Amino acid sequence: MAKIWRETGFVANDPWVIETEEVKAEGEQKPLLPLAEFIEKAEGSNDVGLGVLIKPADDVRKLEPYLYRIELVAVEFPAFSDGRAFSHASLLRDRLAYKNELRAVGDVLIDQVPLMLRCGIDSFAVTNTTALQRLEEGRLPGIDVHYQPTARPAEPGQGYSWRRRSVPA
């Protein structure tokens, strides 16, 4: 079972459920729908506070007309070696100006969390035992110097126009 983590700590009673044929949101739970189902629901209603699951092969730009109605976008990391969700997160934050919650789901490893934070991801569905333990202990790895700007603010580095230092959240 995944635990939801934010920089403020673990979240209790998260209402979001990734819907499948076997699992459906019940009661107070809210569904995270696959992109095609989300678009179908959004086209057929005026609902707000929706959730959508973006898989690696999805075109995140299809969300643009509906962004004001979305409460949570979950980007899927199916494997350590598949980083397309980093691009999805950057597109959502930088080009599409998405401001609500952006969640990493799937293979969320502790070493990738600082990079995910830099891309604008602000919550994490964590199942990895090592990642859970390190996050519970408050042992988040850090990356002090970066070569490019991202969704998170950074201070200019000294001496090089391309070097930036992380700003604590």
Side-chain angles (χ1 to χ4, degrees):
M1 178 92 181
K3 286 186 172 183
I4 306 303
W5 183 83
R6 299 176 132 259
E7 284 188 277
T8 56
F10 284 96
V11 175
N13 303 322
D14 182 72
W16 296 99
V17 174
I18 296 174
E19 286 204 327
T20 63
E21 289 184 20
E22 299 83 31
V23 178
K24 299 292 182 195
E26 301 172 344
E28 298 293 315
Q29 295 177 327
K30 298 179 181 180
L32 281 170
L33 301 171
L35 181 61
E37 288 180 40
F38 168 81
I39 291 173
E40 184 179 321
K41 181 173 183 161
E43 289 289 326
S45 74
N46 289 324
D47 294 349
V48 295
L50 302 172
V52 62
L53 173 66
I54 300 296
K55 296 191 179 268
D58 288 343
D59 183 359
V60 75
R61 295 172 296 178
K62 290 182 178 180
L63 291 177
E64 189 169 14
Y66 313 106
L67 287 176
Y68 71 98
R69 296 168 59 186
I70 301 173
E71 186 176 336
L72 183 138
V73 175
V75 290
E76 183 178 47
F77 288 86
F80 171 78
S81 59
D82 191 339
R84 291 177 284 180
F86 285 106
S87 298
H88 292 324
S90 292
L91 276 169
L92 281 162
R93 291 294 193 209
D94 297 337
R95 293 193 187 161
L96 300 177
Y98 177 70
K99 301 290 184 212
N100 291 338
E101 186 173 352
L102 185 56
R103 178 175 293 174
V105 299
D107 195 16
V108 177
L109 303 178
I110 192 68
D111 294 342
Q112 293 177 316
V113 170
L115 302 170
M116 292 174 181
L117 286 166
R118 283 185 45 77
C119 288
I121 295 171
D122 51 14
S123 70
F124 304 84
V126 183
T127 57
N128 180 278
T129 312
T130 303
L132 285 168
Q133 181 180 0
R134 296 270 305 272
L135 292 170
E136 284 172 0
E137 295 169 355
R139 294 177 47 213
L140 184 64
I143 302 171
D144 293 336
V145 179
H146 309 281
Y147 292 117
Q148 68 281 87
T150 62
R152 288 205 139 186
E155 296 175 0
Q158 295 177 0
Y160 300 98
S161 63
W162 42 264
R163 187 179 294 166
R164 290 165 175 76
R165 298 202 51 79
S166 291
V167 176

